[in-house]
């Protein structure tokens, strides 16, 4: 059964954050409100050199005990909301379409629960309200600050539109994809559309690249691997009777294996250069890896599942997602587990109609708090079980 007193408080906070979404690295109002709530609860806020976002700490009586981190993200997306929420976004063109308002509200709830038993904690719990998860380099900013250097384990949550409200999903191994972004710029020679023989038209080359790129995954990647290549941005020309001098293609590649990610990019570059240069064009290809795959520690993902069941929650295996998640950067340095909670949305993440059911807030908060306490006690009582 949900904690009804806590649930009411969290729904009020959730409404406030949902109405006021802010983009990556611009979460000033969000950060200020989180700080206000934590300070009112008497929770210590650490001095961390972050422009937005913050880190709080709850410390028990054992000064040299273990340290666990609980993480949420706080930024929104550049999407115009069309959901049926009774309290839609008040910021035009920006909405919480990925549930970050749900995540941060859940972590605030965990903070309230943990504060009540702070004196009994055999160590410290750091509460990370991370900025700029949506491609804004937020996790790296936090890691560069050094605030997590003493952390032994880290846990994060995410909303799931696939599951009914309150269902916990967690699995070992890769649960979110490694993500890369590519950019192909084709340089030709523009001119009159009636005189194509005097031009080097980049549009036919772009069309061939788009078509041929779809064979990379189906014909160069093992069927036992999983990969996605999507071209999502095409730009060429400004009017109907002029052949443009350039054409731009952008998109993303996603796999559950970072090495495979780079292999697909290499195949795409060869293909683009071959087609473009064969048609007399100059080809510029650029590529960046935005994040590696989120890879759950097997022992800690089992620990999340056991803790959730002990609280009486329903637990199911997580559905692997080709969506990226920069929680993966923490896992490269700190053993960690990333779990999801069903919010019963009628639409998928990043859709303008996405709606997170606030009824699951107290469930998420209780599990986050329980993970922090149980992890500290496990490590304090059994140091050999600390990873």
């Amino acid at each position: 059964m949900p904690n009804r007193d806590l649930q009411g408080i969290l729904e009020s906070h959730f409404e406030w954050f949902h109405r006021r979404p802010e983009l990556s690295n611009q979460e000033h109002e969000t950060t200020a409100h989180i700080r206000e709530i934590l300070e009112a609860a008497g929770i210590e806020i650490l001095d961390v050199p972050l422009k937005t976002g913050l880190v709080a700490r709850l410390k028990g009586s054992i000064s040299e005990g273990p340290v666990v981190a609980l993480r949420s993200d706080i930024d929104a997306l550049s999407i115009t909301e069309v959901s049926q929420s009774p309290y839609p976004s008040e910021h035009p063109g920006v909405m919480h379409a990925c549930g970050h308002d749900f995540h941060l509200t859940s972590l605030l709830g965990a903070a309230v629960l943990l504060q009540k038993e702070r004196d009994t904690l055999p160590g410290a719990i750091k509460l990370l309200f991370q900025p700029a998860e949506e491609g804004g380099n937020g996790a790296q900013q936090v890691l560069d600050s050094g605030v997590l250097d003493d952390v032994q384990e880290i846990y994060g949550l995410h909303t799931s539109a696939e599951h009914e409200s309150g269902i916990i999903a967690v699995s070992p191994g890769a649960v979110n994809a490694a993500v890369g972004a590519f950019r192909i710029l084709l340089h030709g020679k523009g001119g009159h559309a009636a005189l194509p023989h005097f031009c080097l038209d980049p549009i036919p080359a772009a069309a061939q690249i788009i078509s041929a790129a779809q064979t990379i995954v189906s014909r160069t990647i093992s069927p036992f691997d999983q990969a996605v290549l999507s071209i999502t941005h095409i730009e060429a020309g400004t009017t109907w009777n002029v052949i443009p001098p350039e054409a731009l293609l952008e998109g993303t590649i996603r796999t559950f294996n970072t090495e495979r990610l780079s292999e697909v990019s290499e195949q795409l570059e060869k293909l683009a250069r071959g087609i473009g240069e064969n048609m007399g064009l100059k080809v510029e290809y650029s590529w960046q890896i935005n994040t590696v795959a989120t890879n759950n520690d097997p022992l800690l993902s089992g620990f999340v599942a056991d803790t959730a069941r002990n609280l009486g929650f329903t637990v199911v295996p997580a559905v692997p997602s080709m969506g990226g998640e920069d929680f993966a950067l923490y896992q490269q340095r700190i053993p960690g587990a990333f779990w999801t909670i069903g919010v019963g949305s009628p639409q998928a993440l990043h859709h303008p109609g996405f709606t997170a059911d606030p009824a699951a807030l107290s469930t998420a908060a209780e599990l986050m708090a329980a993970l922090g306490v149980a992890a500290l006690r496990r490590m304090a009582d059994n140091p050999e079980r600390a990873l």
Side-chain angles (χ1 to χ4, degrees):
M1 294 292 292
N3 182 324
R4 296 194 180 280
D5 291 338
L6 178 64
Q7 180 67 26
I9 293 170
L10 295 185
E11 288 187 13
S12 176
H13 290 329
F14 177 69
E15 176 178 343
W16 193 98
F17 289 114
H18 189 81
R19 287 187 185 277
R20 299 166 177 83
E22 295 175 293
L23 298 175
S24 297
N25 293 311
Q26 299 176 32
E27 313 96 325
H28 300 287
E29 188 179 12
T30 302
T31 301
H33 197 58
I34 293 170
R35 179 180 293 273
E36 178 183 335
I37 293 168
L38 293 173
E39 287 179 341
I43 295 172
E44 176 189 15
I45 298 175
L46 300 179
D47 184 12
V48 180
L50 295 172
K51 293 181 179 178
T52 55
L54 59 83
V55 182
R57 180 174 61 183
L58 292 146
K59 193 172 183 180
S61 57
I62 303 176
S63 59
E64 299 301 323
V67 182
V68 172
L70 306 177
R71 175 266 197 175
S72 74
D73 37 21
I74 67 173
D75 56 329
L77 288 157
S78 182
I79 294 176
T80 297
E81 183 166 7
V82 295
S83 77
Q84 298 303 309
S85 170
Y87 34 83
S89 169
E90 296 175 356
H91 294 175
V94 184
M95 76 168 287
H96 274 296
C98 200
H100 296 191
D101 50 349
F102 185 100
H103 305 163
L104 73 89
T105 302
S106 300
L107 190 55
L108 286 170
V112 170
L113 294 172
L114 291 167
Q115 176 72 334
K116 294 178 180 178
E117 53 184 307
R118 181 183 61 184
D119 293 340
T120 68
L121 297 177
I125 297 176
K126 291 186 175 180
L127 309 173
L128 168 54
F129 296 87
Q130 180 205 302
E133 188 275 331
E134 298 289 354
N137 203 34
Q140 193 61 54
Q141 293 177 42
V142 174
L143 288 167
D144 290 345
S145 76
V147 71
L148 301 184
D149 287 352
D150 60 348
V151 171
Q152 281 90 57
E153 293 178 7
I154 186 167
Y155 298 89
L157 84 160
H158 205 289
T159 55
S160 168
E162 290 84 4
H163 295 106
E164 294 180 9
S165 185
I167 301 294
I168 307 299
V170 64
S171 292
V175 291
N176 286 85
V179 178
F182 61 83
R183 184 176 188 270
I184 303 169
L185 185 59
L186 304 172
H187 297 275
K189 180 182 177 183
H192 201 297
L195 304 170
H197 52 296
F198 291 134
C199 306
L200 289 173
D201 191 347
I203 291 181
Q208 288 191 35
I209 292 169
I210 293 167
S211 179
Q214 305 311 309
T215 67
I216 292 176
V217 171
S218 66
R219 289 296 176 266
T220 67
I221 299 299
S222 167
F224 296 102
D225 287 335
Q226 293 171 296
V228 168
L229 190 161
S230 294
I231 294 173
T232 57
H233 178 202
I234 307 167
E235 190 173 324
T238 58
T239 189
W240 65 278
N241 61 350
V242 177
I243 290 173
E246 295 179 342
L248 172 68
L249 305 175
E250 290 183 307
T252 182
I253 300 169
R254 294 159 187 252
T255 71
F256 289 114
N257 181 305
T258 305
E259 182 179 337
R260 194 74 68 245
L261 193 72
S262 297
E263 291 176 4
V264 176
S265 173
E266 290 171 7
Q267 291 286 339
L268 178 61
E269 181 176 7
K270 288 179 184 178
L271 182 149
R273 290 192 184 282
I275 292 173
E277 291 171 2
N278 188 55
M279 299 179 75
L281 307 175
K282 178 184 175 182
V283 179
E284 289 185 35
Y285 182 90
S286 56
W287 163 252
Q288 68 176 29
I289 295 177
N290 293 338
T291 185
V292 298
T294 305
N295 197 353
N296 277 345
D297 181 279
L299 294 179
L300 295 189
S301 58
F303 170 68
V304 171
D306 290 343
T307 304
R309 291 191 188 99
N310 290 339
L311 291 171
F313 302 145
T314 300
V315 180
V316 299
V319 178
S321 169
M322 280 292 176
E325 173 52 64
D326 69 1
F327 187 83
L329 298 181
Y330 301 127
Q331 291 177 315
Q332 287 189 309
R333 298 193 192 182
I334 308 164
F338 193 66
W339 52 277
T340 65
I341 181 167
V343 292
S345 175
Q347 300 293 344
L349 301 174
H350 289 216
H351 187 282
F354 173 80
T355 305
D357 180 9
L361 283 165
S362 59
T363 297
E366 288 173 33
L367 180 52
M368 263 303 203
L371 288 172
V373 173
L376 286 183
R377 290 176 179 167
R378 168 171 47 78
M379 288 189 283
D381 295 343
N382 254 325
E384 65 273 14
R385 293 184 64 191
L387 301 178

